[in-house]
Amino acid sequence: MGFKSAHSSLFIPVCVIFVFMEVMPTMKENFLDRFYARLDTLGEKLQTKELRIPVNITAGVVFFLFALFILAVMPQQVPISEGDAINGRSFPTLLMAVMMLCCAGLVLKDVYKIITKKPIEWKVINLNTEVKALVIFIILLISFFLCIVTDLFVVGSIFCCLGFLIYFRCKKPSYYAITLGIAVIIWVAFRFGLGVEF
Amino acid sequence: MMEYVGPAMGLLFTLENIIWINLGVFIGAIFSAIPGLTVILCVTLFLPVTYTMSAIPGMMFLLGIYCAGGYGGSVSAILINTPGTPHAAATMLDGYPLSQKGRTKAALKIALEASTFGGIFSALALLFLGPQVAKIAAQLGTAEYFMVCLFGLTIIAGVSGKSLVRGIISACLGLLIACVGSDPMTGYDRFAFGSNRLYLGLDLAVCLIGLFALVEILSKAESRAKAQNMDTSKLKDDGRITKDEYKRMFLPTLISSFIGVMVGIIPGTGASEASWFSYNTAKNMSKHPEEYGHGSVEGIAAAESANNAVTGATLIPLLTLGIPGDGTVAIMLSALMINGLNPGLSLFTTQGDIMYAIMIGLIVINIFMQIQGQLLTPFFAKVVSIPEEILTPIIVIFCFAGAYSVNENYFDVGVALVFTVLAWILRKIDLPPVPILLGLVLGKMTETNFRRALLVSDGDPSIFFSSIYCKIFVVLIIVALAAIIRGKIKDRQAEKAAHAE
C-alpha cells in the first residue's frame, strides 16, 4: 500500500487529536450522554440477571468433549509412519487420556456430592459483566480488523484508544490527547526502534 | 568457574547491556508499582522486544524487569496501602503504618535496601549453586528428564489453583497446544488444520499475550480500579534510618534472604510464599513482635528481602534443568532458547561465558535497581496514579504490536485474541492459566524425552522407574502430591470453618 508511510501514519492521529479536542465538548453533551444513559438502563436490567454453573461438572464435561474431539481428529491431523510403535500420536493420546480421566474424576466427584446432598462448587456468572467483556472484546476485534483492512497499525491503535476511552466514559480531552500521543510513540518505537514493518 | 568470569565480564559490561539493564529495571519498577499490573504481564508484553536481541542484552532486559518487579510492588504498598504486586502484601502490613507515622521515605528506603540485599544474596546463590546443580543434571538421561518435567508440571499444576485435578487438566491443555506444529522428531505437521501458519507451531509470546495480558483487559469488565491519588507531600521526611534500626534489621534480612532462596529453588512456589513465610519467621524471632503490623522496620525488611531473594533462586532449576521456578521465569526460558541456549550442564561449559555473564549480570541489575530506586522513587510514586483510562488502551496497543512483531503478520494477533477468549473461558470455570504456560514451555522437552526414552526401551514404560534418579523423582512427585493434597484439604477445612462461623 502506497498510503503506508511515516507521514500518513502520523497525520491520522494528529487529526484525530485535534478533532477530539475541538469536538469533544459538544459531543459529550449530546450524543455520548444519551448513549451512556441508554447503556445505564441496559446495565441495570442485566445486573440482576445471573447464571449459576457447577464449576467441576462444567469444566469436566467441556474438557472431556474437547479431549474426545482431539482423539477423533488425531488420525487426520497427525500423520505417522507405519510400523512406528512410538510416534507423533503417542504423546497427545496420553495427554488426552489423562485429561479425560481428570474430567471424569471432576464430574463423578460432584455427582457423588449431589447424590449425598453435599454442597458443590458453583460459579455465578453475571450477565452484565459478560456483556461488558463482550463489548471490550468487540473493541479489540474491530481494532484488529482495522489493522488488517487498512494495513496501517496506527489506524487500529487510534480506534482502540478511542474505543476504550469511550468505554470508560472519559470526558477529559487531555486524556484523549495523551493516549493517542502514546499510541503514536509506541508505533514509532516498534517501527523505527525495532524495525517492525507496520 | 574462574576461567569464565573474565570473558563474562567482557561480554556483560557493554554500553548496550547497561542501557537494557536500566531500561528493564525502570519499566519493571513502574509496572509493579501500579496496582493491577503484574510482573508476568510486563515480561509477557516485552518478550517480543527481545526476539531481535542476542542472549545477554535480552536476558538482562527481562531480568531487570523481573528484579525491579520485586521491589516496585512495595512502592504502592507503602504509599497507598495497596500492594502493586501480590508479593508486596506482606510489606504493606508494616510499610503503610510506618508511612502513616510520617516516615514514608524511610519505609521506601528500607524496602529498597532490603530488596537489593535479597537480590544480591540470591544472585550469589545462583552463581555458586547453579554450576553444581548443573553437574547433577548432566547425569540425567531422557527418562530422567521426562520425570523432571513431570515433577515440575505436577507441582505447578498443584499449587496454581484451588484444585489439583483442574491444574492437571490445564497442564495437559498447555502440553497439547505445544504439540501444534511440526513433530520435533519426524517433522510431520500436527494439528495444523490445513493452515500453513500453524505448521510452524504457535509462538509462546503470542499465546502468553492472550493468556496473561489481553485477558486482563477483558477483566476490566468485572471491576474497575479506583483512581489512586498519591499525595507526594508524604515524601517530605528525611528518610533517615538509625544505626539501631539497621542492627535490628540485619538478622531478619539475612534469614529472610536465605528463606527466599530456599523457596525460590522449589518449582511452583514464588515470591508471595517467601515473603509471608519470612515475615512470620521474623515476627516469631523478633524481640519486638508487638511492633509488627504497626510499622516495624524488621517486618518491611524481612518481607522485601525474601521476595527479591527468590529472583536468582528461581533461575537455578531453570538454567540447570530447564524447569522454571515460577511463571515469569518460564517466559524467560523462551528468550534463552530462541538464542540456542538450552538449559543443562552444556550451558555452563560450552557457553559458560554467556551463562556467567547472565549470572553476574543479576548482581549488576540489583545494583542499578538500588541506584534507580534512590533517584527515581518520587517518580515511581507519581506513576501509581496513572488513570486506568489511559493505561488500558496503551497495554492493548503494546499487546498487538508485540504479537505482530514476532513474525510480522496479523495472524499472530488473531491467535493472541483466540487465546484471550480461551483464557476468559478458563477463568469462568476456575482453570488456572499458569500450568498452561508451563505446558507450553516444557511441551517440546517433555514429549521429546518421553518418546526417546520409550524408543530406547522398545516401548517398555518401566524405563521411567529404572535408574536411581528416576526413582528419586518418582518419590519426589509422590511426596509433592501428598503435600499438595494435604494442603488443599487443610485449606478446605479452614474455609468450611470460616463459613460456619
Side-chain angles (χ1 to χ4, degrees):
Chain A
M1 294 227 178
F3 190 53
K4 188 180 176 182
S5 67
H7 287 98
S8 61
S9 297
L10 284 171
F11 178 71
I12 297 167
V14 169
C15 287
V16 174
I17 291 170
F18 176 76
V19 167
F20 262 79
M21 297 284 279
E22 293 298 313
V23 178
M24 266 303 285
T26 335
M27 261 185 85
K28 75 176 182 187
E29 282 163 18
N30 300 313
F31 173 73
L32 283 180
D33 282 351
R34 272 182 291 163
F35 177 64
Y36 291 146
R38 278 187 191 174
L39 283 183
D40 284 340
T41 320
L42 183 69
E44 275 168 25
K45 280 181 192 167
L46 290 171
Q47 190 65 44
T48 51
K49 291 184 178 166
E50 285 179 345
L51 272 176
R52 265 161 53 92
I53 56 164
V55 179
N56 285 337
I57 294 177
T58 312
V61 170
V62 168
F63 281 94
F64 192 88
L65 293 175
F66 172 77
L68 270 183
F69 168 75
I70 294 294
L71 288 175
V73 299
M74 191 101 69
Q76 293 94 52
Q77 291 299 322
V78 187
I80 51 165
S81 305
E82 290 297 323
D84 281 350
I86 308 301
N87 52 45
R89 286 180 199 164
S90 311
F91 190 64
T93 308
L94 176 75
L95 291 177
M96 291 305 97
V98 173
M99 192 185 265
M100 285 166 82
L101 270 176
C102 290
C103 290
L106 280 182
V107 174
L108 289 175
K109 193 176 115 185
D110 268 23
V111 168
Y112 172 77
K113 279 184 178 175
I114 291 168
I115 293 167
T116 54
K117 290 181 180 167
K118 283 181 183 168
I120 61 166
E121 227 176 294
W122 293 87
K123 182 96 178 177
V124 178
I125 292 179
N126 185 280
L127 273 185
N128 191 30
T129 306
E130 299 312 309
V131 170
K132 278 185 188 171
L134 187 67
V135 171
I136 293 176
F137 189 70
I138 289 169
I139 296 172
L140 298 180
L141 218 54
I142 296 175
S143 308
F144 168 60
F145 281 115
L146 277 175
C147 289
I148 295 177
V149 171
T150 60
D151 201 22
L152 279 170
F153 183 80
V154 80
V155 174
S157 301
I158 290 166
F159 177 82
C160 179
C161 291
L162 298 179
F164 275 104
L165 287 164
I166 292 170
Y167 172 84
F168 287 125
R169 303 184 181 198
C170 176
K171 292 177 180 175
K172 293 179 183 168
S174 60
Y175 280 19
Y176 285 81
I178 292 167
T179 316
L180 290 168
I182 296 173
V184 175
I185 291 170
I186 294 172
W187 171 76
V188 170
F190 273 82
R191 174 70 185 81
F192 299 105
L194 297 168
V196 178
E197 286 282 341
F198 58 14
Chain B
M1 175 183 163
M2 291 314 290
E3 72 265 31
Y4 296 117
V5 173
M9 293 282 202
L11 285 173
L12 176 67
F13 291 104
T14 63
L15 182 64
E16 186 195 6
N17 289 339
I18 300 298
I19 290 171
W20 282 114
I21 287 174
N22 278 289
L23 203 59
V25 168
F26 182 73
I27 293 170
I30 286 179
F31 254 74
S32 53
I34 300 170
L37 299 187
T38 57
V39 184
I40 196 164
L41 169 72
C42 186
V43 173
T44 303
L45 285 182
F46 287 93
L47 177 67
V49 175
T50 65
Y51 280 11
T52 51
M53 298 182 200
S54 55
I56 299 174
M59 281 301 284
M60 287 301 101
F61 179 56
L62 294 179
L63 284 171
I65 293 174
Y66 183 45
C67 291
Y71 156 69
S74 65
V75 175
S76 51
I78 291 166
L79 293 173
I80 55 171
N81 205 23
T82 309
T85 49
H87 52 251
T91 310
M92 186 180 73
L93 291 186
D94 285 297
Y96 187 67
L98 193 61
S99 169
Q100 292 292 88
K101 287 178 185 172
R103 296 190 67 197
T104 308
K105 261 191 175 176
L108 287 167
K109 195 175 170 187
I110 292 166
L112 177 64
E113 287 177 2
S115 293
T116 308
F117 183 89
I120 292 175
F121 186 90
S122 85
L124 289 171
L126 169 69
L127 197 61
F128 292 105
L129 282 178
Q132 308 311 319
V133 181
K135 280 178 191 166
I136 299 168
Q139 296 171 35
L140 307 181
T142 53
E144 290 84 356
Y145 254 107
F146 173 71
M147 297 308 285
V148 170
C149 294
L150 204 61
F151 174 63
L153 284 163
T154 310
I155 294 192
I156 299 282
V159 300
S160 295
K162 282 183 192 168
S163 153
L164 171 68
V165 180
R166 273 183 256 162
I168 295 172
I169 293 173
S170 284
C172 287
L173 189 62
L175 289 167
L176 181 78
I177 295 166
C179 289
V180 175
S182 65
D183 185 322
M185 293 176 78
T186 63
Y188 290 140
D189 57 329
R190 295 190 297 180
F191 304 111
F193 293 94
S195 164
N196 292 335
R197 303 262 190 207
L198 284 179
Y199 176 71
L200 295 169
L202 294 167
D203 191 274
L204 179 72
V206 173
C207 302
L208 297 185
I209 284 171
L211 277 176
F212 291 97
L214 285 174
V215 75
E216 288 304 325
I217 304 298
L218 284 196
S219 71
K220 303 279 174 203
E222 287 173 336
S223 62
R224 279 192 62 185
K226 282 180 191 166
Q228 307 277 4
N229 289 318
M230 170 53 208
D231 179 10
T232 40
S233 64
K234 271 183 166 185
L235 292 164
K236 293 279 157 63
D237 63 303
D238 62 0
R240 209 173 139 262
I241 303 163
T242 63
K243 262 189 181 176
D244 180 51
E245 283 175 328
Y246 272 120
K247 267 187 192 172
R248 281 177 56 190
M249 283 189 293
F250 179 72
L251 196 61
T253 307
L254 189 68
I255 293 170
S256 300
S257 299
F258 182 75
I259 291 171
V261 168
M262 290 295 118
V263 171
I265 290 175
I266 305 165
T269 52
S272 294
E273 290 85 351
S275 58
W276 283 114
F277 185 39
S278 300
Y279 183 84
N280 285 329
T281 310
K283 189 179 178 182
N284 293 335
M285 285 173 55
S286 175
K287 286 177 187 168
H288 309 278
E290 73 285 352
E291 286 182 12
Y292 279 71
H294 303 283
S296 163
V297 289
E298 294 170 34
I300 302 170
E304 275 305 301
S305 54
N307 72 42
N308 268 63
V310 168
T311 52
T314 51
L315 294 176
I316 296 173
L318 179 90
L319 298 176
T320 55
L321 296 162
I323 304 293
D326 65 21
T328 314
V329 291
I331 301 168
M332 289 184 209
L333 183 61
S334 74
L336 273 178
M337 285 177 157
I338 210 156
N339 284 292
L341 300 173
N342 292 311
L345 183 65
S346 61
L347 201 61
F348 288 83
T349 51
T350 55
Q351 281 146 330
D353 47 354
I354 295 178
M355 209 28 37
Y356 277 88
I358 291 171
M359 293 193 290
I360 297 166
L362 199 59
I363 299 173
V364 179
I365 286 168
N366 280 287
I367 294 167
F368 277 113
M369 185 180 82
Q370 172 73 30
I371 295 168
Q372 281 202 24
Q374 278 179 343
L375 298 174
L376 299 174
T377 297
F379 174 74
F380 296 149
K382 279 186 181 167
V383 162
V384 170
S385 48
I386 288 183
E388 196 181 28
E389 292 93 324
I390 292 177
L391 216 52
T392 307
I394 300 303
I395 291 172
V396 174
I397 294 167
F398 243 110
C399 291
F400 277 26
Y404 177 87
S405 64
V406 172
N407 295 309
E408 297 208 4
N409 66 60
Y410 285 110
F411 176 81
D412 287 333
V413 183
V415 171
L417 287 173
V418 171
F419 272 85
T420 308
V421 177
L422 173 71
W424 184 251
I425 294 169
L426 294 180
R427 208 175 256 210
K428 295 290 149 190
I429 49 178
D430 277 349
L431 253 72
V434 176
I436 299 181
L437 161 64
L438 256 282
L440 280 166
V441 171
L442 295 179
K444 287 267 185 291
M445 193 162 104
T446 312
E447 182 181 9
T448 310
N449 286 301
F450 170 76
R451 282 166 66 183
R452 279 192 187 145
L454 285 177
L455 283 172
V456 168
S457 68
D458 279 333
D460 182 4
S462 67
I463 190 168
F464 297 117
F465 310 94
S466 56
S467 73
I468 181 71
Y469 288 115
C470 278
K471 283 169 188 159
I472 290 172
F473 278 107
V474 170
V475 172
L476 282 175
I477 290 170
I478 293 168
V479 170
L481 279 174
I484 290 164
I485 292 167
R486 191 167 162 259
K488 303 275 180 204
I489 292 170
K490 268 189 175 179
D491 287 350
R492 213 159 287 169
Q493 282 171 345
E495 218 171 82
K496 268 184 192 170
H499 197 70
E501 274 174 26

